[in-house]
mmCIF file of all heavy atoms in Angstrom:
data_model
loop_
_atom_site.group_PDB
_atom_site.id
_atom_site.type_symbol
_atom_site.label_atom_id
_atom_site.label_comp_id
_atom_site.label_asym_id
_atom_site.label_seq_id
_atom_site.Cartn_x
_atom_site.Cartn_y
_atom_site.Cartn_z
ATOM 1 N N GLU A 285 54.350 -42.812 -5.647
ATOM 2 C CA GLU A 285 54.616 -41.387 -5.354
ATOM 3 C C GLU A 285 55.983 -40.906 -5.734
ATOM 4 O O GLU A 285 56.321 -39.767 -5.864
ATOM 5 C CB GLU A 285 54.314 -41.267 -3.868
ATOM 6 C CG GLU A 285 54.236 -39.725 -3.361
ATOM 7 C CD GLU A 285 52.981 -39.066 -3.877
ATOM 8 O OE1 GLU A 285 51.874 -39.834 -4.166
ATOM 9 O OE2 GLU A 285 52.964 -37.859 -3.900
ATOM 10 N N ILE A 294 43.210 -44.373 -16.039
ATOM 11 C CA ILE A 294 42.089 -44.635 -15.184
ATOM 12 C C ILE A 294 41.314 -45.734 -15.747
ATOM 13 O O ILE A 294 40.840 -45.619 -16.841
ATOM 14 C CB ILE A 294 41.298 -43.323 -14.945
ATOM 15 C CG1 ILE A 294 42.107 -42.369 -14.202
ATOM 16 C CG2 ILE A 294 40.115 -43.802 -13.999
ATOM 17 C CD1 ILE A 294 41.366 -41.100 -13.808
ATOM 18 N N GLU A 322 46.551 -33.325 -20.815
ATOM 19 C CA GLU A 322 46.998 -33.168 -19.501
ATOM 20 C C GLU A 322 48.589 -33.134 -19.612
ATOM 21 O O GLU A 322 49.187 -33.413 -18.464
ATOM 22 C CB GLU A 322 46.665 -34.191 -18.516
ATOM 23 C CG GLU A 322 45.058 -34.129 -18.305
ATOM 24 C CD GLU A 322 44.566 -34.977 -17.122
ATOM 25 O OE1 GLU A 322 45.508 -35.437 -16.445
ATOM 26 O OE2 GLU A 322 43.450 -35.134 -16.984
ATOM 27 N N VAL A 479 33.150 -29.979 -11.142
ATOM 28 C CA VAL A 479 34.050 -31.113 -11.014
ATOM 29 C C VAL A 479 35.444 -30.730 -10.500
ATOM 30 O O VAL A 479 36.077 -31.292 -9.706
ATOM 31 C CB VAL A 479 34.260 -31.923 -12.350
ATOM 32 C CG1 VAL A 479 35.279 -32.930 -12.467
ATOM 33 C CG2 VAL A 479 32.913 -32.524 -12.712
ATOM 34 N N LEU A 480 35.896 -29.543 -11.088
ATOM 35 C CA LEU A 480 37.223 -29.120 -10.765
ATOM 36 C C LEU A 480 37.269 -28.574 -9.389
ATOM 37 O O LEU A 480 38.283 -28.652 -8.608
ATOM 38 C CB LEU A 480 37.625 -27.884 -11.763
ATOM 39 C CG LEU A 480 37.892 -28.395 -13.129
ATOM 40 C CD1 LEU A 480 38.304 -27.226 -14.015
ATOM 41 C CD2 LEU A 480 39.018 -29.537 -13.249
ATOM 42 N N ARG A 482 35.759 -29.890 -6.807
ATOM 43 C CA ARG A 482 35.880 -31.040 -5.908
ATOM 44 C C ARG A 482 37.320 -31.666 -6.039
ATOM 45 O O ARG A 482 37.853 -32.030 -5.003
ATOM 46 C CB ARG A 482 34.872 -32.127 -6.283
ATOM 47 C CG ARG A 482 33.491 -31.715 -5.818
ATOM 48 C CD ARG A 482 32.354 -32.156 -6.751
ATOM 49 N NE ARG A 482 30.988 -31.883 -6.146
ATOM 50 C CZ ARG A 482 30.337 -30.710 -6.266
ATOM 51 N NH1 ARG A 482 31.021 -29.732 -6.887
ATOM 52 N NH2 ARG A 482 29.120 -30.501 -5.739
ATOM 53 N N ILE A 483 37.813 -31.597 -7.194
ATOM 54 C CA ILE A 483 39.291 -32.089 -7.334
ATOM 55 C C ILE A 483 40.177 -31.152 -6.538
ATOM 56 O O ILE A 483 41.249 -31.706 -5.898
ATOM 57 C CB ILE A 483 39.625 -32.146 -8.783
ATOM 58 C CG1 ILE A 483 38.715 -33.200 -9.491
ATOM 59 C CG2 ILE A 483 41.079 -32.473 -9.081
ATOM 60 C CD1 ILE A 483 38.998 -33.238 -11.117
ATOM 61 N N ILE A 484 40.075 -29.864 -6.679
ATOM 62 C CA ILE A 484 40.724 -28.955 -5.973
ATOM 63 C C ILE A 484 40.684 -29.112 -4.391
ATOM 64 O O ILE A 484 41.704 -29.043 -3.655
ATOM 65 C CB ILE A 484 40.458 -27.525 -6.324
ATOM 66 C CG1 ILE A 484 40.928 -27.197 -7.792
ATOM 67 C CG2 ILE A 484 41.198 -26.504 -5.373
ATOM 68 C CD1 ILE A 484 40.455 -25.883 -8.318
ATOM 69 N N ALA A 485 39.427 -29.454 -4.021
ATOM 70 C CA ALA A 485 39.114 -29.576 -2.606
ATOM 71 C C ALA A 485 39.981 -30.871 -2.106
ATOM 72 O O ALA A 485 40.570 -30.870 -0.979
ATOM 73 C CB ALA A 485 37.623 -29.772 -2.287
ATOM 74 N N VAL A 486 40.097 -31.891 -2.850
ATOM 75 C CA VAL A 486 40.754 -33.092 -2.540
ATOM 76 C C VAL A 486 42.196 -32.774 -2.470
ATOM 77 O O VAL A 486 43.069 -33.309 -1.548
ATOM 78 C CB VAL A 486 40.525 -34.235 -3.598
ATOM 79 C CG1 VAL A 486 41.437 -35.405 -3.229
ATOM 80 C CG2 VAL A 486 39.067 -34.648 -3.483
ATOM 81 N N VAL A 487 42.765 -31.973 -3.449
ATOM 82 C CA VAL A 487 44.163 -31.609 -3.371
ATOM 83 C C VAL A 487 44.448 -30.772 -2.133
ATOM 84 O O VAL A 487 45.595 -31.114 -1.467
ATOM 85 C CB VAL A 487 44.533 -30.864 -4.662
ATOM 86 C CG1 VAL A 487 45.932 -30.228 -4.538
ATOM 87 C CG2 VAL A 487 44.402 -31.738 -5.912
ATOM 88 N N LYS A 488 43.646 -29.881 -1.778
ATOM 89 C CA LYS A 488 43.940 -29.111 -0.601
ATOM 90 C C LYS A 488 43.837 -30.034 0.683
ATOM 91 O O LYS A 488 44.641 -29.778 1.618
ATOM 92 C CB LYS A 488 42.865 -27.966 -0.438
ATOM 93 C CG LYS A 488 42.985 -26.951 -1.550
ATOM 94 C CD LYS A 488 41.789 -25.943 -1.657
ATOM 95 C CE LYS A 488 41.498 -25.223 -0.338
ATOM 96 N NZ LYS A 488 40.504 -24.273 -0.424
ATOM 97 N N PHE A 489 42.915 -30.947 0.685
ATOM 98 C CA PHE A 489 42.782 -31.837 1.897
ATOM 99 C C PHE A 489 44.087 -32.690 2.044
ATOM 100 O O PHE A 489 44.568 -32.679 3.258
ATOM 101 C CB PHE A 489 41.526 -32.680 1.733
ATOM 102 C CG PHE A 489 41.462 -33.884 2.742
ATOM 103 C CD1 PHE A 489 40.987 -33.528 3.900
ATOM 104 C CD2 PHE A 489 41.959 -35.052 2.479
ATOM 105 C CE1 PHE A 489 40.841 -34.480 4.947
ATOM 106 C CE2 PHE A 489 41.845 -36.009 3.407
ATOM 107 C CZ PHE A 489 41.230 -35.854 4.718
ATOM 108 N N LEU A 490 44.628 -33.167 1.030
ATOM 109 C CA LEU A 490 45.840 -34.045 1.184
ATOM 110 C C LEU A 490 47.056 -33.243 1.453
ATOM 111 O O LEU A 490 47.935 -33.572 2.256
ATOM 112 C CB LEU A 490 45.955 -34.832 -0.144
ATOM 113 C CG LEU A 490 44.850 -35.845 -0.459
ATOM 114 C CD1 LEU A 490 45.168 -36.536 -1.824
ATOM 115 C CD2 LEU A 490 44.613 -36.902 0.620
ATOM 116 N N ALA A 491 47.104 -32.057 0.747
ATOM 117 C CA ALA A 491 48.381 -31.239 0.960
ATOM 118 C C ALA A 491 48.361 -30.745 2.372
ATOM 119 O O ALA A 491 49.455 -30.616 2.934
ATOM 120 C CB ALA A 491 48.287 -30.082 0.009
ATOM 121 N N LEU A 495 49.787 -35.708 3.302
ATOM 122 C CA LEU A 495 49.484 -37.033 2.847
ATOM 123 C C LEU A 495 50.034 -37.405 1.460
ATOM 124 O O LEU A 495 49.979 -36.367 0.635
ATOM 125 C CB LEU A 495 47.929 -37.368 2.881
ATOM 126 C CG LEU A 495 47.429 -37.351 4.309
ATOM 127 C CD1 LEU A 495 45.938 -37.590 4.282
ATOM 128 C CD2 LEU A 495 48.030 -38.345 5.284
ATOM 129 N N ALA A 496 50.407 -38.593 1.109
ATOM 130 C CA ALA A 496 50.785 -38.884 -0.203
ATOM 131 C C ALA A 496 49.578 -38.954 -1.130
ATOM 132 O O ALA A 496 48.521 -39.292 -0.734
ATOM 133 C CB ALA A 496 51.447 -40.353 -0.264
ATOM 134 N N PHE A 497 49.711 -38.576 -2.399
ATOM 135 C CA PHE A 497 48.729 -38.489 -3.367
ATOM 136 C C PHE A 497 48.528 -39.904 -4.095
ATOM 137 O O PHE A 497 47.437 -40.346 -4.122
ATOM 138 C CB PHE A 497 49.032 -37.424 -4.380
ATOM 139 C CG PHE A 497 48.603 -35.953 -3.924
ATOM 140 C CD1 PHE A 497 49.309 -35.457 -2.932
ATOM 141 C CD2 PHE A 497 47.588 -35.384 -4.449
ATOM 142 C CE1 PHE A 497 48.961 -34.232 -2.453
ATOM 143 C CE2 PHE A 497 47.202 -34.076 -4.081
ATOM 144 C CZ PHE A 497 47.973 -33.511 -3.108
ATOM 145 N N ARG A 498 49.565 -40.375 -4.614
ATOM 146 C CA ARG A 498 49.522 -41.592 -5.578
ATOM 147 C C ARG A 498 49.971 -42.873 -4.790
ATOM 148 O O ARG A 498 50.657 -42.854 -3.733
ATOM 149 C CB ARG A 498 50.385 -41.412 -6.681
ATOM 150 C CG ARG A 498 49.983 -40.135 -7.454
ATOM 151 C CD ARG A 498 50.551 -40.117 -8.893
ATOM 152 N NE ARG A 498 52.083 -40.048 -8.822
ATOM 153 C CZ ARG A 498 52.722 -38.928 -8.720
ATOM 154 N NH1 ARG A 498 51.905 -37.786 -8.646
ATOM 155 N NH2 ARG A 498 53.984 -38.850 -8.716
ATOM 156 N N GLY A 499 49.376 -43.972 -5.293
ATOM 157 C CA GLY A 499 49.926 -45.301 -4.858
ATOM 158 C C GLY A 499 50.647 -46.045 -5.870
ATOM 159 O O GLY A 499 51.364 -45.511 -6.758
ATOM 160 N N ASN A 501 49.306 -47.590 -8.450
ATOM 161 C CA ASN A 501 48.592 -47.506 -9.799
ATOM 162 C C ASN A 501 47.788 -46.265 -9.699
ATOM 163 O O ASN A 501 47.450 -45.728 -8.579
ATOM 164 C CB ASN A 501 48.032 -48.695 -10.155
ATOM 165 C CG ASN A 501 46.803 -49.001 -9.316
ATOM 166 O OD1 ASN A 501 45.902 -48.331 -9.282
ATOM 167 N ND2 ASN A 501 46.849 -50.139 -8.557
ATOM 168 N N GLU A 502 47.258 -45.847 -10.841
ATOM 169 C CA GLU A 502 46.362 -44.731 -10.923
ATOM 170 C C GLU A 502 45.143 -45.227 -11.598
ATOM 171 O O GLU A 502 44.620 -44.601 -12.698
ATOM 172 C CB GLU A 502 47.016 -43.563 -11.676
ATOM 173 C CG GLU A 502 48.113 -42.974 -10.884
ATOM 174 C CD GLU A 502 48.732 -41.765 -11.576
ATOM 175 O OE1 GLU A 502 48.116 -40.670 -11.383
ATOM 176 O OE2 GLU A 502 49.767 -41.855 -12.248
ATOM 177 N N LYS A 503 44.422 -46.220 -11.120
ATOM 178 C CA LYS A 503 43.201 -46.678 -11.742
ATOM 179 C C LYS A 503 42.077 -46.684 -10.648
ATOM 180 O O LYS A 503 42.355 -47.033 -9.532
ATOM 181 C CB LYS A 503 43.437 -48.157 -12.149
ATOM 182 C CG LYS A 503 44.588 -48.243 -13.203
ATOM 183 C CD LYS A 503 44.869 -49.792 -13.448
ATOM 184 C CE LYS A 503 46.117 -49.871 -14.350
ATOM 185 N NZ LYS A 503 46.429 -51.285 -14.663
ATOM 186 N N LEU A 504 40.920 -46.154 -11.100
ATOM 187 C CA LEU A 504 39.810 -46.161 -10.149
ATOM 188 C C LEU A 504 39.361 -47.453 -9.676
ATOM 189 O O LEU A 504 39.436 -48.387 -10.453
ATOM 190 C CB LEU A 504 38.583 -45.345 -10.887
ATOM 191 C CG LEU A 504 38.785 -43.823 -10.847
ATOM 192 C CD1 LEU A 504 37.685 -43.199 -11.720
ATOM 193 C CD2 LEU A 504 38.688 -43.105 -9.414
ATOM 194 N N ASN A 509 45.568 -47.592 -5.043
ATOM 195 C CA ASN A 509 45.494 -46.480 -6.134
ATOM 196 C C ASN A 509 45.702 -45.121 -5.548
ATOM 197 O O ASN A 509 45.593 -44.142 -6.151
ATOM 198 C CB ASN A 509 44.333 -46.603 -6.867
ATOM 199 C CG ASN A 509 42.980 -46.317 -6.005
ATOM 200 O OD1 ASN A 509 43.124 -46.219 -4.743
ATOM 201 N ND2 ASN A 509 41.812 -46.240 -6.585
ATOM 202 N N GLY A 510 46.110 -45.132 -4.193
ATOM 203 C CA GLY A 510 46.546 -43.832 -3.627
ATOM 204 C C GLY A 510 45.356 -43.146 -2.922
ATOM 205 O O GLY A 510 44.236 -43.392 -3.094
ATOM 206 N N ASN A 511 45.760 -42.117 -2.236
ATOM 207 C CA ASN A 511 44.787 -41.335 -1.398
ATOM 208 C C ASN A 511 43.935 -40.510 -2.215
ATOM 209 O O ASN A 511 42.766 -40.146 -1.935
ATOM 210 C CB ASN A 511 45.460 -40.470 -0.261
ATOM 211 C CG ASN A 511 46.213 -41.248 0.702
ATOM 212 O OD1 ASN A 511 45.667 -42.247 1.224
ATOM 213 N ND2 ASN A 511 47.421 -40.889 1.160
ATOM 214 N N PHE A 512 44.492 -39.901 -3.377
ATOM 215 C CA PHE A 512 43.715 -38.974 -4.157
ATOM 216 C C PHE A 512 42.580 -39.691 -4.932
ATOM 217 O O PHE A 512 41.425 -39.175 -4.765
ATOM 218 C CB PHE A 512 44.607 -38.364 -5.302
ATOM 219 C CG PHE A 512 44.015 -37.460 -6.222
ATOM 220 C CD1 PHE A 512 43.723 -36.143 -5.898
ATOM 221 C CD2 PHE A 512 43.639 -37.864 -7.471
ATOM 222 C CE1 PHE A 512 43.268 -35.286 -6.753
ATOM 223 C CE2 PHE A 512 42.986 -37.066 -8.410
ATOM 224 C CZ PHE A 512 42.652 -35.734 -7.912
ATOM 225 N N LEU A 513 42.843 -40.793 -5.526
ATOM 226 C CA LEU A 513 41.724 -41.498 -6.200
ATOM 227 C C LEU A 513 40.824 -42.138 -5.159
ATOM 228 O O LEU A 513 39.597 -42.272 -5.337
ATOM 229 C CB LEU A 513 42.255 -42.652 -7.145
ATOM 230 C CG LEU A 513 42.997 -42.104 -8.308
ATOM 231 C CD1 LEU A 513 43.373 -43.209 -9.239
ATOM 232 C CD2 LEU A 513 42.101 -41.172 -9.159
ATOM 233 N N GLY A 514 41.367 -42.410 -4.042
ATOM 234 C CA GLY A 514 40.469 -43.096 -2.847
ATOM 235 C C GLY A 514 39.594 -41.974 -2.452
ATOM 236 O O GLY A 514 38.381 -42.259 -2.177
ATOM 237 N N ALA A 515 40.016 -40.695 -2.361
ATOM 238 C CA ALA A 515 39.108 -39.662 -1.839
ATOM 239 C C ALA A 515 37.992 -39.412 -2.899
ATOM 240 O O ALA A 515 36.837 -39.059 -2.551
ATOM 241 C CB ALA A 515 39.955 -38.330 -1.595
ATOM 242 N N ILE A 516 38.366 -39.468 -4.180
ATOM 243 C CA ILE A 516 37.462 -39.307 -5.281
ATOM 244 C C ILE A 516 36.331 -40.314 -5.270
ATOM 245 O O ILE A 516 35.146 -40.096 -5.413
ATOM 246 C CB ILE A 516 38.211 -39.270 -6.618
ATOM 247 C CG1 ILE A 516 39.107 -38.044 -6.830
ATOM 248 C CG2 ILE A 516 37.125 -39.307 -7.833
ATOM 249 C CD1 ILE A 516 38.367 -36.746 -6.934
ATOM 250 N N GLU A 517 36.779 -41.544 -5.032
ATOM 251 C CA GLU A 517 35.824 -42.777 -4.946
ATOM 252 C C GLU A 517 34.934 -42.482 -3.681
ATOM 253 O O GLU A 517 33.627 -42.850 -3.830
ATOM 254 C CB GLU A 517 36.614 -43.975 -4.757
ATOM 255 C CG GLU A 517 37.461 -44.493 -5.971
ATOM 256 C CD GLU A 517 38.420 -45.614 -5.598
ATOM 257 O OE1 GLU A 517 38.366 -46.022 -4.515
ATOM 258 O OE2 GLU A 517 39.202 -45.898 -6.561
ATOM 259 N N MET A 518 35.363 -42.014 -2.597
ATOM 260 C CA MET A 518 34.616 -41.788 -1.395
ATOM 261 C C MET A 518 33.533 -40.621 -1.605
ATOM 262 O O MET A 518 32.395 -40.781 -1.362
ATOM 263 C CB MET A 518 35.402 -41.397 -0.218
ATOM 264 C CG MET A 518 34.653 -41.121 1.035
ATOM 265 S SD MET A 518 35.687 -40.485 2.412
ATOM 266 C CE MET A 518 35.952 -38.806 1.656
ATOM 267 N N ILE A 519 34.004 -39.637 -2.342
ATOM 268 C CA ILE A 519 33.034 -38.499 -2.713
ATOM 269 C C ILE A 519 31.967 -38.978 -3.715
ATOM 270 O O ILE A 519 30.728 -38.623 -3.629
ATOM 271 C CB ILE A 519 33.843 -37.337 -3.294
ATOM 272 C CG1 ILE A 519 34.821 -36.650 -2.276
ATOM 273 C CG2 ILE A 519 32.919 -36.177 -3.802
ATOM 274 C CD1 ILE A 519 35.718 -35.580 -2.868
ATOM 275 N N HIS A 541 40.046 -36.400 -18.225
ATOM 276 C CA HIS A 541 39.314 -36.717 -16.901
ATOM 277 C C HIS A 541 39.886 -35.906 -15.824
ATOM 278 O O HIS A 541 39.235 -35.701 -14.780
ATOM 279 C CB HIS A 541 39.490 -38.198 -16.636
ATOM 280 C CG HIS A 541 40.857 -38.731 -16.846
ATOM 281 N ND1 HIS A 541 41.929 -38.405 -16.070
ATOM 282 C CD2 HIS A 541 41.368 -39.618 -17.746
ATOM 283 C CE1 HIS A 541 42.936 -39.101 -16.429
ATOM 284 N NE2 HIS A 541 42.613 -39.755 -17.596
ATOM 285 N N TYR A 542 41.048 -35.350 -15.914
ATOM 286 C CA TYR A 542 41.651 -34.442 -14.943
ATOM 287 C C TYR A 542 41.840 -35.114 -13.522
ATOM 288 O O TYR A 542 41.843 -34.559 -12.492
ATOM 289 C CB TYR A 542 40.813 -33.145 -14.631
ATOM 290 C CG TYR A 542 40.679 -32.347 -15.900
ATOM 291 C CD1 TYR A 542 39.421 -31.927 -16.386
ATOM 292 C CD2 TYR A 542 41.843 -32.021 -16.662
ATOM 293 C CE1 TYR A 542 39.327 -31.233 -17.485
ATOM 294 C CE2 TYR A 542 41.681 -31.276 -17.810
ATOM 295 C CZ TYR A 542 40.398 -30.780 -18.301
ATOM 296 O OH TYR A 542 40.316 -30.116 -19.274
ATOM 297 N N LEU A 543 42.154 -36.459 -13.523
ATOM 298 C CA LEU A 543 42.432 -37.239 -12.343
ATOM 299 C C LEU A 543 43.910 -37.723 -12.391
ATOM 300 O O LEU A 543 44.118 -38.584 -11.496
ATOM 301 C CB LEU A 543 41.403 -38.302 -12.275
ATOM 302 C CG LEU A 543 39.888 -37.970 -12.161
ATOM 303 C CD1 LEU A 543 39.070 -39.107 -11.895
ATOM 304 C CD2 LEU A 543 39.638 -36.952 -10.908
ATOM 305 N N GLY A 544 44.691 -37.394 -13.361
ATOM 306 C CA GLY A 544 46.020 -37.951 -13.481
ATOM 307 C C GLY A 544 46.999 -37.168 -12.599
ATOM 308 O O GLY A 544 46.760 -36.107 -12.041
ATOM 309 N N HIS A 545 48.250 -37.710 -12.539
ATOM 310 C CA HIS A 545 49.179 -37.166 -11.640
ATOM 311 C C HIS A 545 49.758 -35.804 -12.149
ATOM 312 O O HIS A 545 50.103 -34.932 -11.310
ATOM 313 C CB HIS A 545 50.362 -38.019 -11.430
ATOM 314 C CG HIS A 545 51.140 -38.395 -12.746
ATOM 315 N ND1 HIS A 545 50.744 -39.435 -13.667
ATOM 316 C CD2 HIS A 545 52.334 -37.891 -13.151
ATOM 317 C CE1 HIS A 545 51.626 -39.440 -14.604
ATOM 318 N NE2 HIS A 545 52.411 -38.492 -14.426
ATOM 319 N N ASN A 546 49.751 -35.628 -13.501
ATOM 320 C CA ASN A 546 50.215 -34.293 -13.998
ATOM 321 C C ASN A 546 49.160 -33.171 -13.556
ATOM 322 O O ASN A 546 49.605 -32.040 -13.200
ATOM 323 C CB ASN A 546 50.257 -34.306 -15.496
ATOM 324 C CG ASN A 546 51.411 -35.146 -16.018
ATOM 325 O OD1 ASN A 546 52.347 -35.048 -15.342
ATOM 326 N ND2 ASN A 546 51.285 -35.809 -17.171
ATOM 327 N N ILE A 547 47.892 -33.447 -13.634
ATOM 328 C CA ILE A 547 46.834 -32.455 -13.124
ATOM 329 C C ILE A 547 47.071 -32.161 -11.630
ATOM 330 O O ILE A 547 46.894 -30.997 -11.174
ATOM 331 C CB ILE A 547 45.548 -32.991 -13.570
ATOM 332 C CG1 ILE A 547 45.265 -33.009 -15.066
ATOM 333 C CG2 ILE A 547 44.442 -32.117 -12.901
ATOM 334 C CD1 ILE A 547 45.503 -31.659 -15.768
ATOM 335 N N GLN A 548 47.370 -33.158 -10.854
ATOM 336 C CA GLN A 548 47.550 -33.079 -9.513
ATOM 337 C C GLN A 548 48.705 -31.968 -9.294
ATOM 338 O O GLN A 548 48.637 -31.093 -8.450
ATOM 339 C CB GLN A 548 47.876 -34.293 -8.767
ATOM 340 C CG GLN A 548 46.783 -35.352 -8.789
ATOM 341 C CD GLN A 548 47.318 -36.723 -8.321
ATOM 342 O OE1 GLN A 548 48.332 -36.845 -7.687
ATOM 343 N NE2 GLN A 548 46.470 -37.759 -8.740
ATOM 344 N N ASN A 549 49.781 -32.248 -9.953
ATOM 345 C CA ASN A 549 50.936 -31.331 -9.850
ATOM 346 C C ASN A 549 50.602 -29.909 -10.326
ATOM 347 O O ASN A 549 51.152 -28.942 -9.640
ATOM 348 C CB ASN A 549 52.183 -31.856 -10.714
ATOM 349 C CG ASN A 549 52.693 -33.168 -10.220
ATOM 350 O OD1 ASN A 549 52.585 -33.407 -9.072
ATOM 351 N ND2 ASN A 549 53.341 -33.939 -11.063
ATOM 352 N N PHE A 551 47.629 -28.499 -10.062
ATOM 353 C CA PHE A 551 46.846 -27.830 -9.033
ATOM 354 C C PHE A 551 47.671 -27.522 -7.885
ATOM 355 O O PHE A 551 47.403 -26.394 -7.231
ATOM 356 C CB PHE A 551 45.593 -28.720 -8.662
ATOM 357 C CG PHE A 551 44.447 -28.695 -9.544
ATOM 358 C CD1 PHE A 551 43.906 -29.798 -10.249
ATOM 359 C CD2 PHE A 551 43.949 -27.496 -10.020
ATOM 360 C CE1 PHE A 551 42.908 -29.690 -11.024
ATOM 361 C CE2 PHE A 551 42.785 -27.309 -10.823
ATOM 362 C CZ PHE A 551 42.217 -28.466 -11.352
ATOM 363 N N ILE A 552 48.606 -28.374 -7.465
ATOM 364 C CA ILE A 552 49.474 -28.042 -6.429
ATOM 365 C C ILE A 552 50.423 -26.839 -6.625
ATOM 366 O O ILE A 552 50.482 -25.863 -5.898
ATOM 367 C CB ILE A 552 50.527 -29.313 -6.146
ATOM 368 C CG1 ILE A 552 49.648 -30.525 -5.567
ATOM 369 C CG2 ILE A 552 51.554 -28.845 -5.106
ATOM 370 C CD1 ILE A 552 50.405 -31.739 -5.476
ATOM 371 N N ARG A 1026 57.366 -29.712 -6.832
ATOM 372 C CA ARG A 1026 56.317 -30.433 -6.091
ATOM 373 C C ARG A 1026 56.449 -30.328 -4.489
ATOM 374 O O ARG A 1026 55.650 -30.102 -3.691
ATOM 375 C CB ARG A 1026 56.206 -31.912 -6.495
ATOM 376 C CG ARG A 1026 55.097 -32.634 -5.678
ATOM 377 C CD ARG A 1026 55.036 -34.015 -6.265
ATOM 378 N NE ARG A 1026 54.090 -34.797 -5.460
ATOM 379 C CZ ARG A 1026 52.825 -35.083 -5.942
ATOM 380 N NH1 ARG A 1026 52.340 -34.500 -6.994
ATOM 381 N NH2 ARG A 1026 51.974 -35.799 -5.243
#
Side-chain angles (χ1 to χ4, degrees):
E285 193 73 19
I294 296 182
E322 295 189 13
V479 172
L480 293 178
R482 284 151 178 79
I483 294 175
I484 293 173
V486 174
V487 172
K488 291 169 63 175
F489 173 80
L490 297 177
L495 299 175
F497 279 67
R498 301 193 295 276
N501 63 72
E502 293 186 79
K503 303 173 185 178
L504 281 169
N509 60 359
N511 293 323
F512 179 79
L513 292 182
I516 294 295
E517 294 168 5
M518 182 192 65
I519 295 175
H541 43 71
Y542 300 126
L543 299 179
H545 61 275
N546 287 329
I547 294 300
Q548 297 169 20
N549 291 337
F551 278 130
I552 291 172
R1026 184 180 176 92

